[in-house]
Amino acid sequence: MSSRQVEAKDVVQETDKQQKSDLYNQYVKSVTPKHNSTVNLINAFWVGGLICVLGQWLMNLFLSMNLDKKTAGYYEILVLVLLSVILTALNIYPKIAKFGGAGTLVPITGFANSVASAAIEFQTEGQVFGIGCKIFNICGPVILYGIVVSWVLGLLYWILKMSGALG
């Protein structure tokens, strides 16, 4: 082959790669869902708000049963976690999360959903290597960083207390 033929072949191959890349980019653009940030923000706001209203209603319910505030708070958390796990198991919470977006990440319910969904997803792998290991994919980092941040803040507090910066 002559050098012109080699150059022409390279140009054709480069053009073919560019066309494939352009076609792929067009395909990705056509199947990628379009999001309206304003609608997502509004949905997150009212879905998260409803979860918080449910939490407050539960707190008021338990307080009306003559429980002290601390005990009522424990029962509230227990019921919210239970509801989140049940709704996750029934595949309802993921649908709410898809609609409400970040509004469903209210800490206690979002965390319970994440842990429960990992347990449900990997239950076919067995009790130990499925549920037992995969459930820590979510709660392990939360526990780790919670402990590390608590230690760092405790150390900072101790240093400030010892230096007299905190009375």
Side-chain angles (χ1 to χ4, degrees), residues 15-156:
T15 304
D16 190 39
K17 285 181 185 179
Q18 185 62 40
Q19 286 176 341
K20 285 181 182 179
S21 177
D22 290 344
L23 285 172
Y24 177 74
N25 289 335
Q26 288 174 358
Y27 170 73
V28 168
K29 197 174 193 178
S30 70
V31 297
T32 302
K34 310 291 185 275
H35 297 287
N36 183 334
S37 296
T38 305
V39 171
N40 289 346
L41 181 68
I42 291 168
N43 288 342
F45 179 79
W46 74 265
V47 169
L50 283 177
I51 293 171
C52 292
V53 166
L54 173 63
Q56 186 61 53
W57 180 81
L58 287 168
M59 178 65 109
N60 293 344
L61 174 70
F62 294 127
L63 287 173
S64 72
M65 295 177 176
N66 294 323
L67 295 174
D68 62 285
K69 191 171 184 176
K70 190 175 182 180
T71 305
Y74 290 147
Y75 280 119
E76 173 197 4
I77 291 169
L78 182 68
V79 171
L80 285 174
V81 167
L82 180 65
L83 284 174
S84 180
V85 170
I86 290 170
L87 291 175
T88 300
L90 296 173
N91 202 28
I92 296 171
Y93 199 94
K95 292 174 184 170
I96 296 169
K98 186 174 183 180
F99 178 78
T104 58
L105 296 179
V106 175
I108 196 73
T109 58
F111 185 68
N113 169 60
S114 299
V115 172
S117 62
I120 291 167
E121 183 178 349
F122 294 102
Q123 69 182 348
T124 58
E125 295 179 25
Q127 292 291 319
V128 175
F129 294 111
I131 297 171
C133 291
K134 299 298 182 178
I135 204 167
F136 288 105
N137 285 348
I138 299 297
C139 64
V142 172
I143 293 168
L144 170 72
Y145 289 113
I147 290 170
V148 169
V149 168
S150 296
W151 184 84
V152 169
L153 291 175
L155 181 63
L156 181 64

Side-chain angles (χ1 to χ4, degrees), residues 152-167:
V152 169
L153 291 175
L155 181 63
L156 181 64
Y157 176 78
W158 179 76
I159 291 170
L160 290 172
K161 190 81 167 170
M162 294 301 286
S163 69
L166 298 176

